[in-house]
Amino acid sequence: MRAGLRSRRRAEEVAGLGAETVVADVTADADDLVEALAGSEVVISAIGAPDPDQASVDLVDRDGVITAIRAAEKAGVSRFVQLSAQFADSPDQGDRLVRSILMAKQISDSVLQRSSLNWTIVRPGTLTDDQPTGRVKLGGHLEPGHVSRADVAAVLVATLDEPLTENQGFDVIGGEIPIPSALASFS
């Protein structure tokens, strides 16, 4: 397992967590990214801009994710799981304060859907630092809600074991259904 990070400093911080770390800046040379992804079967992308500045959002959430998708195709990756955001599929319905982020994610999500990759797009509600519950609610379009980052991470990984999530996008918020059951009942 490899973890791609945009900076060497961050790579050093997570080096002891059990994954090989690779500096893979989606805003830099696309060929370097292809090399970083070579030999991978799956990419779980949690790419996001470090701040909400429009230029940063466009560079990272839109263009950087598109670069990662194209690099994954060139590297022969078969599966791409994308962390997006609730309302990225309908930015006009989302909070107007984050609409530019939702629009950038909508574009990169659309590129993923049209790619040659087997894809899954996970659109979480508002992220929290709460303890994980292992229980969620998911569906094509859900009411606004909150969900812990840890539960979202568990959903991202669990999609790899659930064929019903292939070539699908869905919202996820905190709920009462255990993650594997929620994914297995998704349709």
Side-chain angles (χ1 to χ4, degrees), residues 119-138:
W119 56 270
T120 302
I121 298 170
V122 178
R123 298 183 304 261
T126 302
L127 298 173
T128 72
D129 291 325
D130 295 343
Q131 291 296 312
T133 66
R135 297 175 177 276
V136 296
K137 178 178 182 181
L138 58 86

Side-chain angles (χ1 to χ4, degrees), residues 41-166:
E41 293 178 30
V42 174
V43 168
I44 297 177
S45 169
I47 298 168
D51 64 61
D53 172 69
Q54 187 65 50
S56 181
V57 167
D58 288 346
L59 179 66
V60 177
D61 290 87
R62 185 190 67 202
D63 301 341
V65 173
I66 292 169
T67 297
I69 293 164
R70 298 295 181 231
E73 288 178 308
K74 287 181 183 175
V77 170
S78 60
R79 183 89 188 265
F80 198 101
V81 179
Q82 169 73 1
L83 175 62
S84 186
Q86 192 173 29
F87 298 111
D89 59 337
S90 53
D92 58 316
Q93 295 176 20
D95 186 326
R96 121 184 115 75
L97 296 175
V98 295
R99 201 161 286 158
S100 63
I101 296 169
L102 297 176
M103 291 171 65
K105 289 188 177 294
Q106 180 185 45
I107 292 167
S108 59
D109 290 353
S110 294
V111 169
L112 178 57
Q113 290 169 327
R114 292 189 313 269
S115 75
S116 63
L117 299 164
N118 179 342
W119 56 270
T120 302
I121 298 170
V122 178
R123 298 183 304 261
T126 302
L127 298 173
T128 72
D129 291 325
D130 295 343
Q131 291 296 312
T133 66
R135 297 175 177 276
V136 296
K137 178 178 182 181
L138 58 86
H141 296 280
L142 299 175
E143 68 281 358
H146 295 82
V147 62
S148 76
R149 284 176 170 79
D151 282 333
V152 172
V155 168
L156 292 169
V157 172
T159 63
L160 301 177
D161 294 325
E162 183 47 68
L164 292 174
T165 66
E166 294 177 6

